[in-house]
PDB file of all heavy atoms in Angstrom:
ATOM      1  N   ILE A1273      54.943  51.669  21.400  1.00 98.00           N
ATOM      2  CA  ILE A1273      54.487  50.795  20.248  1.00 98.00           C
ATOM      3  C   ILE A1273      54.999  51.468  18.931  1.00 98.00           C
ATOM      4  O   ILE A1273      55.358  52.729  18.958  1.00 98.00           O
ATOM      5  CB  ILE A1273      53.094  50.446  20.186  1.00 98.00           C
ATOM      6  CG1 ILE A1273      52.179  51.658  20.153  1.00 98.00           C
ATOM      7  CG2 ILE A1273      52.668  49.546  21.408  1.00 98.00           C
ATOM      8  CD1 ILE A1273      50.705  51.475  19.978  1.00 98.00           C
ATOM      9  N   SER A1274      55.037  50.853  17.871  1.00 98.00           N
ATOM     10  CA  SER A1274      55.468  51.502  16.678  1.00 98.00           C
ATOM     11  C   SER A1274      54.499  52.391  16.053  1.00 98.00           C
ATOM     12  O   SER A1274      53.294  52.315  16.399  1.00 98.00           O
ATOM     13  CB  SER A1274      55.768  50.391  15.562  1.00 98.00           C
ATOM     14  OG  SER A1274      54.603  49.792  15.062  1.00 98.00           O
ATOM     15  N   VAL A1275      54.902  53.315  15.171  1.00 98.00           N
ATOM     16  CA  VAL A1275      54.021  54.209  14.453  1.00 98.00           C
ATOM     17  C   VAL A1275      53.014  53.431  13.599  1.00 98.00           C
ATOM     18  O   VAL A1275      51.852  53.807  13.605  1.00 98.00           O
ATOM     19  CB  VAL A1275      54.841  55.181  13.626  1.00 98.00           C
ATOM     20  CG1 VAL A1275      53.986  56.015  12.668  1.00 98.00           C
ATOM     21  CG2 VAL A1275      55.614  56.173  14.605  1.00 98.00           C
ATOM     22  N   ASN A1276      53.627  52.365  12.960  1.00 98.00           N
ATOM     23  CA  ASN A1276      52.689  51.515  12.157  1.00 98.00           C
ATOM     24  C   ASN A1276      51.569  50.900  13.019  1.00 98.00           C
ATOM     25  O   ASN A1276      50.429  50.785  12.467  1.00 98.00           O
ATOM     26  CB  ASN A1276      53.510  50.429  11.456  1.00 98.00           C
ATOM     27  CG  ASN A1276      54.325  50.928  10.269  1.00 98.00           C
ATOM     28  OD1 ASN A1276      53.998  52.038   9.777  1.00 98.00           O
ATOM     29  ND2 ASN A1276      55.317  50.194   9.914  1.00 98.00           N
ATOM     30  N   ARG A1277      51.822  50.522  14.244  1.00 98.00           N
ATOM     31  CA  ARG A1277      50.768  49.918  15.029  1.00 98.00           C
ATOM     32  C   ARG A1277      49.820  50.995  15.431  1.00 98.00           C
ATOM     33  O   ARG A1277      48.567  50.752  15.494  1.00 98.00           O
ATOM     34  CB  ARG A1277      51.449  49.309  16.252  1.00 98.00           C
ATOM     35  CG  ARG A1277      50.543  48.705  17.278  1.00 98.00           C
ATOM     36  CD  ARG A1277      49.611  47.630  16.779  1.00 98.00           C
ATOM     37  NE  ARG A1277      50.180  46.545  16.076  1.00 98.00           N
ATOM     38  CZ  ARG A1277      49.508  45.626  15.308  1.00 98.00           C
ATOM     39  NH1 ARG A1277      48.113  45.740  15.327  1.00 98.00           N
ATOM     40  NH2 ARG A1277      50.133  44.722  14.701  1.00 98.00           N
ATOM     41  N   VAL A1278      50.279  52.263  15.811  1.00 98.00           N
ATOM     42  CA  VAL A1278      49.351  53.320  16.104  1.00 98.00           C
ATOM     43  C   VAL A1278      48.399  53.638  15.021  1.00 98.00           C
ATOM     44  O   VAL A1278      47.210  53.687  15.026  1.00 98.00           O
ATOM     45  CB  VAL A1278      50.075  54.605  16.520  1.00 98.00           C
ATOM     46  CG1 VAL A1278      49.050  55.709  16.697  1.00 98.00           C
ATOM     47  CG2 VAL A1278      50.921  54.370  17.769  1.00 98.00           C
ATOM     48  N   ASN A1279      48.957  53.613  13.707  1.00 97.00           N
ATOM     49  CA  ASN A1279      48.184  53.886  12.526  1.00 97.00           C
ATOM     50  C   ASN A1279      47.103  52.839  12.332  1.00 97.00           C
ATOM     51  O   ASN A1279      46.008  53.023  11.963  1.00 97.00           O
ATOM     52  CB  ASN A1279      49.055  53.977  11.289  1.00 97.00           C
ATOM     53  CG  ASN A1279      49.734  55.348  11.143  1.00 97.00           C
ATOM     54  OD1 ASN A1279      49.104  56.421  11.508  1.00 97.00           O
ATOM     55  ND2 ASN A1279      50.968  55.346  10.715  1.00 97.00           N
ATOM     56  N   HIS A1280      47.465  51.498  12.634  1.00 97.00           N
ATOM     57  CA  HIS A1280      46.623  50.427  12.524  1.00 97.00           C
ATOM     58  C   HIS A1280      45.422  50.695  13.591  1.00 97.00           C
ATOM     59  O   HIS A1280      44.205  50.478  13.139  1.00 97.00           O
ATOM     60  CB  HIS A1280      47.317  49.094  12.809  1.00 97.00           C
ATOM     61  CG  HIS A1280      46.419  47.909  12.866  1.00 97.00           C
ATOM     62  ND1 HIS A1280      45.966  47.294  11.770  1.00 97.00           N
ATOM     63  CD2 HIS A1280      46.015  47.211  13.972  1.00 97.00           C
ATOM     64  CE1 HIS A1280      45.217  46.263  12.055  1.00 97.00           C
ATOM     65  NE2 HIS A1280      45.246  46.182  13.445  1.00 97.00           N
ATOM     66  N   HIS A1281      45.732  50.984  14.759  1.00 97.00           N
ATOM     67  CA  HIS A1281      44.725  51.177  15.802  1.00 97.00           C
ATOM     68  C   HIS A1281      43.825  52.423  15.308  1.00 97.00           C
ATOM     69  O   HIS A1281      42.654  52.326  15.455  1.00 97.00           O
ATOM     70  CB  HIS A1281      45.310  51.475  17.121  1.00 97.00           C
ATOM     71  CG  HIS A1281      45.927  50.231  17.784  1.00 97.00           C
ATOM     72  ND1 HIS A1281      45.260  49.058  17.941  1.00 97.00           N
ATOM     73  CD2 HIS A1281      47.236  50.052  18.277  1.00 97.00           C
ATOM     74  CE1 HIS A1281      46.078  48.178  18.567  1.00 97.00           C
ATOM     75  NE2 HIS A1281      47.203  48.765  18.802  1.00 97.00           N
ATOM     76  N   ALA A1282      44.396  53.475  14.825  1.00 96.00           N
ATOM     77  CA  ALA A1282      43.699  54.695  14.427  1.00 96.00           C
ATOM     78  C   ALA A1282      42.737  54.258  13.402  1.00 96.00           C
ATOM     79  O   ALA A1282      41.552  54.717  13.360  1.00 96.00           O
ATOM     80  CB  ALA A1282      44.682  55.756  14.052  1.00 96.00           C
ATOM     81  N   LYS A1283      43.132  53.558  12.429  1.00 96.00           N
ATOM     82  CA  LYS A1283      42.232  53.152  11.317  1.00 96.00           C
ATOM     83  C   LYS A1283      40.992  52.399  11.818  1.00 96.00           C
ATOM     84  O   LYS A1283      39.966  52.592  11.417  1.00 96.00           O
ATOM     85  CB  LYS A1283      43.081  52.215  10.310  1.00 96.00           C
ATOM     86  CG  LYS A1283      42.344  51.850   9.036  1.00 96.00           C
ATOM     87  CD  LYS A1283      43.319  51.144   8.091  1.00 96.00           C
ATOM     88  CE  LYS A1283      42.524  50.521   6.959  1.00 96.00           C
ATOM     89  NZ  LYS A1283      43.510  49.810   6.115  1.00 96.00           N
ATOM     90  N   ASN A1284      41.371  51.460  12.784  1.00 96.00           N
ATOM     91  CA  ASN A1284      40.207  50.720  13.248  1.00 96.00           C
ATOM     92  C   ASN A1284      39.341  51.577  14.066  1.00 96.00           C
ATOM     93  O   ASN A1284      38.059  51.371  14.049  1.00 96.00           O
ATOM     94  CB  ASN A1284      40.824  49.574  14.329  1.00 96.00           C
ATOM     95  CG  ASN A1284      41.376  48.440  13.502  1.00 96.00           C
ATOM     96  OD1 ASN A1284      41.051  48.258  12.386  1.00 96.00           O
ATOM     97  ND2 ASN A1284      42.213  47.720  14.185  1.00 96.00           N
ATOM     98  N   ILE A1285      39.866  52.485  14.870  1.00 94.00           N
ATOM     99  CA  ILE A1285      38.999  53.385  15.669  1.00 94.00           C
ATOM    100  C   ILE A1285      38.133  54.220  14.718  1.00 94.00           C
ATOM    101  O   ILE A1285      36.925  54.360  14.970  1.00 94.00           O
ATOM    102  CB  ILE A1285      39.837  54.380  16.426  1.00 94.00           C
ATOM    103  CG1 ILE A1285      40.541  53.581  17.582  1.00 94.00           C
ATOM    104  CG2 ILE A1285      39.039  55.456  17.052  1.00 94.00           C
ATOM    105  CD1 ILE A1285      41.743  54.316  18.219  1.00 94.00           C
ATOM    106  N   TYR A1286      38.690  54.828  13.676  1.00 94.00           N
ATOM    107  CA  TYR A1286      37.920  55.666  12.723  1.00 94.00           C
ATOM    108  C   TYR A1286      36.833  54.816  12.087  1.00 94.00           C
ATOM    109  O   TYR A1286      35.628  55.325  11.922  1.00 94.00           O
ATOM    110  CB  TYR A1286      38.734  56.194  11.589  1.00 94.00           C
ATOM    111  CG  TYR A1286      39.637  57.393  11.939  1.00 94.00           C
ATOM    112  CD1 TYR A1286      40.294  57.513  13.072  1.00 94.00           C
ATOM    113  CD2 TYR A1286      39.564  58.493  11.137  1.00 94.00           C
ATOM    114  CE1 TYR A1286      41.018  58.671  13.493  1.00 94.00           C
ATOM    115  CE2 TYR A1286      40.339  59.654  11.436  1.00 94.00           C
ATOM    116  CZ  TYR A1286      41.023  59.653  12.688  1.00 94.00           C
ATOM    117  OH  TYR A1286      41.757  60.870  12.934  1.00 94.00           O
ATOM    118  N   ARG A1287      37.176  53.613  11.715  1.00 94.00           N
ATOM    119  CA  ARG A1287      36.095  52.665  11.121  1.00 94.00           C
ATOM    120  C   ARG A1287      35.036  52.351  12.123  1.00 94.00           C
ATOM    121  O   ARG A1287      33.772  52.409  11.784  1.00 94.00           O
ATOM    122  CB  ARG A1287      36.828  51.356  10.646  1.00 94.00           C
ATOM    123  CG  ARG A1287      35.889  50.388  10.015  1.00 94.00           C
ATOM    124  CD  ARG A1287      36.548  49.122   9.488  1.00 94.00           C
ATOM    125  NE  ARG A1287      37.369  48.524  10.517  1.00 94.00           N
ATOM    126  CZ  ARG A1287      36.969  47.748  11.522  1.00 94.00           C
ATOM    127  NH1 ARG A1287      35.672  47.555  11.750  1.00 94.00           N
ATOM    128  NH2 ARG A1287      37.922  47.219  12.351  1.00 94.00           N
ATOM    129  N   LYS A1288      35.421  51.985  13.343  1.00 92.00           N
ATOM    130  CA  LYS A1288      34.476  51.544  14.297  1.00 92.00           C
ATOM    131  C   LYS A1288      33.414  52.736  14.784  1.00 92.00           C
ATOM    132  O   LYS A1288      32.262  52.563  15.073  1.00 92.00           O
ATOM    133  CB  LYS A1288      35.075  50.955  15.590  1.00 92.00           C
ATOM    134  CG  LYS A1288      35.733  49.594  15.305  1.00 92.00           C
ATOM    135  CD  LYS A1288      36.388  49.109  16.507  1.00 92.00           C
ATOM    136  CE  LYS A1288      37.092  47.754  16.308  1.00 92.00           C
ATOM    137  NZ  LYS A1288      37.686  47.222  17.443  1.00 92.00           N
ATOM    138  N   LEU A1289      34.064  53.909  14.767  1.00 90.00           N
ATOM    139  CA  LEU A1289      33.249  55.059  15.238  1.00 90.00           C
ATOM    140  C   LEU A1289      32.651  55.865  14.035  1.00 90.00           C
ATOM    141  O   LEU A1289      31.967  56.748  14.156  1.00 90.00           O
ATOM    142  CB  LEU A1289      34.057  56.023  16.073  1.00 90.00           C
ATOM    143  CG  LEU A1289      34.552  55.416  17.323  1.00 90.00           C
ATOM    144  CD1 LEU A1289      35.406  56.550  18.125  1.00 90.00           C
ATOM    145  CD2 LEU A1289      33.498  54.973  18.174  1.00 90.00           C
ATOM    146  N   ASN A1290      32.899  55.311  12.802  1.00 92.00           N
ATOM    147  CA  ASN A1290      32.423  55.914  11.506  1.00 92.00           C
ATOM    148  C   ASN A1290      32.713  57.417  11.499  1.00 92.00           C
ATOM    149  O   ASN A1290      31.807  58.263  11.341  1.00 92.00           O
ATOM    150  CB  ASN A1290      31.029  55.631  11.421  1.00 92.00           C
ATOM    151  CG  ASN A1290      30.413  55.955  10.092  1.00 92.00           C
ATOM    152  OD1 ASN A1290      31.083  55.905   9.060  1.00 92.00           O
ATOM    153  ND2 ASN A1290      29.133  56.308   9.974  1.00 92.00           N
ATOM    154  N   VAL A1291      33.928  57.765  11.668  1.00 94.00           N
ATOM    155  CA  VAL A1291      34.446  59.140  11.518  1.00 94.00           C
ATOM    156  C   VAL A1291      35.510  59.224  10.506  1.00 94.00           C
ATOM    157  O   VAL A1291      36.138  58.216  10.162  1.00 94.00           O
ATOM    158  CB  VAL A1291      34.916  59.788  12.816  1.00 94.00           C
ATOM    159  CG1 VAL A1291      33.761  59.804  13.847  1.00 94.00           C
ATOM    160  CG2 VAL A1291      36.068  58.960  13.426  1.00 94.00           C
ATOM    161  N   HIS A1292      35.883  60.462   9.925  1.00 94.00           N
ATOM    162  CA  HIS A1292      36.828  60.549   9.004  1.00 94.00           C
ATOM    163  C   HIS A1292      38.001  61.560   9.335  1.00 94.00           C
ATOM    164  O   HIS A1292      38.978  61.591   8.524  1.00 94.00           O
ATOM    165  CB  HIS A1292      36.117  61.103   7.685  1.00 94.00           C
ATOM    166  CG  HIS A1292      35.045  60.155   7.264  1.00 94.00           C
ATOM    167  ND1 HIS A1292      33.762  60.307   7.661  1.00 94.00           N
ATOM    168  CD2 HIS A1292      35.163  59.030   6.576  1.00 94.00           C
ATOM    169  CE1 HIS A1292      33.097  59.313   7.130  1.00 94.00           C
ATOM    170  NE2 HIS A1292      33.810  58.535   6.457  1.00 94.00           N
ATOM    171  N   ASN A1293      37.936  62.216  10.422  1.00 93.00           N
ATOM    172  CA  ASN A1293      39.072  63.010  10.844  1.00 93.00           C
ATOM    173  C   ASN A1293      39.032  63.223  12.383  1.00 93.00           C
ATOM    174  O   ASN A1293      38.160  62.809  13.105  1.00 93.00           O
ATOM    175  CB  ASN A1293      38.888  64.524  10.185  1.00 93.00           C
ATOM    176  CG  ASN A1293      37.620  65.197  10.422  1.00 93.00           C
ATOM    177  OD1 ASN A1293      37.287  65.346  11.576  1.00 93.00           O
ATOM    178  ND2 ASN A1293      36.943  65.587   9.412  1.00 93.00           N
ATOM    179  N   ARG A1294      40.078  63.894  12.923  1.00 91.00           N
ATOM    180  CA  ARG A1294      40.173  64.026  14.319  1.00 91.00           C
ATOM    181  C   ARG A1294      39.151  64.856  15.011  1.00 91.00           C
ATOM    182  O   ARG A1294      38.647  64.599  16.099  1.00 91.00           O
ATOM    183  CB  ARG A1294      41.497  64.551  14.702  1.00 91.00           C
ATOM    184  CG  ARG A1294      42.667  63.535  14.623  1.00 91.00           C
ATOM    185  CD  ARG A1294      43.835  64.077  15.379  1.00 91.00           C
ATOM    186  NE  ARG A1294      45.054  63.204  14.988  1.00 91.00           N
ATOM    187  CZ  ARG A1294      46.019  62.967  15.769  1.00 91.00           C
ATOM    188  NH1 ARG A1294      46.085  63.619  16.963  1.00 91.00           N
ATOM    189  NH2 ARG A1294      47.059  62.175  15.554  1.00 91.00           N
ATOM    190  N   SER A1295      38.676  65.821  14.302  1.00 90.00           N
ATOM    191  CA  SER A1295      37.538  66.686  14.799  1.00 90.00           C
ATOM    192  C   SER A1295      36.334  65.882  15.101  1.00 90.00           C
ATOM    193  O   SER A1295      35.760  65.966  16.169  1.00 90.00           O
ATOM    194  CB  SER A1295      37.246  67.854  13.849  1.00 90.00           C
ATOM    195  OG  SER A1295      38.367  68.649  13.790  1.00 90.00           O
ATOM    196  N   GLU A1296      35.901  65.083  14.053  1.00 92.00           N
ATOM    197  CA  GLU A1296      34.712  64.182  14.164  1.00 92.00           C
ATOM    198  C   GLU A1296      35.060  63.147  15.316  1.00 92.00           C
ATOM    199  O   GLU A1296      34.032  62.907  16.124  1.00 92.00           O
ATOM    200  CB  GLU A1296      34.460  63.475  12.923  1.00 92.00           C
ATOM    201  CG  GLU A1296      33.887  64.269  11.758  1.00 92.00           C
ATOM    202  CD  GLU A1296      33.716  63.381  10.557  1.00 92.00           C
ATOM    203  OE1 GLU A1296      33.171  62.236  10.670  1.00 92.00           O
ATOM    204  OE2 GLU A1296      33.974  63.801   9.466  1.00 92.00           O
ATOM    205  N   LEU A1297      36.220  62.625  15.320  1.00 91.00           N
ATOM    206  CA  LEU A1297      36.573  61.672  16.350  1.00 91.00           C
ATOM    207  C   LEU A1297      36.470  62.171  17.746  1.00 91.00           C
ATOM    208  O   LEU A1297      35.801  61.618  18.596  1.00 91.00           O
ATOM    209  CB  LEU A1297      38.047  61.207  16.146  1.00 91.00           C
ATOM    210  CG  LEU A1297      38.568  60.221  17.093  1.00 91.00           C
ATOM    211  CD1 LEU A1297      37.844  58.862  16.996  1.00 91.00           C
ATOM    212  CD2 LEU A1297      40.021  59.986  16.794  1.00 91.00           C
ATOM    213  N   ALA A1298      37.001  63.387  18.008  1.00 88.00           N
ATOM    214  CA  ALA A1298      36.865  64.008  19.304  1.00 88.00           C
ATOM    215  C   ALA A1298      35.449  64.314  19.644  1.00 88.00           C
ATOM    216  O   ALA A1298      35.036  64.047  20.881  1.00 88.00           O
ATOM    217  CB  ALA A1298      37.710  65.295  19.332  1.00 88.00           C
ATOM    218  N   ARG A1299      34.678  64.898  18.798  1.00 90.00           N
ATOM    219  CA  ARG A1299      33.272  65.153  19.011  1.00 90.00           C
ATOM    220  C   ARG A1299      32.446  64.027  19.403  1.00 90.00           C
ATOM    221  O   ARG A1299      31.748  63.895  20.391  1.00 90.00           O
ATOM    222  CB  ARG A1299      32.733  65.945  17.840  1.00 90.00           C
ATOM    223  CG  ARG A1299      31.662  66.879  18.082  1.00 90.00           C
ATOM    224  CD  ARG A1299      31.263  67.800  16.937  1.00 90.00           C
ATOM    225  NE  ARG A1299      31.484  67.290  15.604  1.00 90.00           N
ATOM    226  CZ  ARG A1299      32.442  67.704  14.726  1.00 90.00           C
ATOM    227  NH1 ARG A1299      33.212  68.727  15.195  1.00 90.00           N
ATOM    228  NH2 ARG A1299      32.597  67.237  13.552  1.00 90.00           N
TER     229      ARG A1299
END
């Protein structure tokens, strides 16, 4: 998929999990 699509998914993931960076996301 495109980089733009990955960024779109990542933004949704961060919002849904209420995190602000990859460390918080992984934890």
Side-chain angles (χ1 to χ4, degrees):
I1273 59 178
S1274 72
V1275 168
N1276 285 341
R1277 179 54 55 190
V1278 173
N1279 281 324
H1280 174 78
H1281 289 309
K1283 183 176 173 181
N1284 287 339
I1285 293 164
Y1286 279 49
R1287 179 180 49 79
K1288 289 178 180 181
L1289 297 183
N1290 193 28
V1291 296
H1292 302 96
N1293 58 53
R1294 281 195 193 210
S1295 295
E1296 287 180 41
L1297 179 65
R1299 211 171 20 254

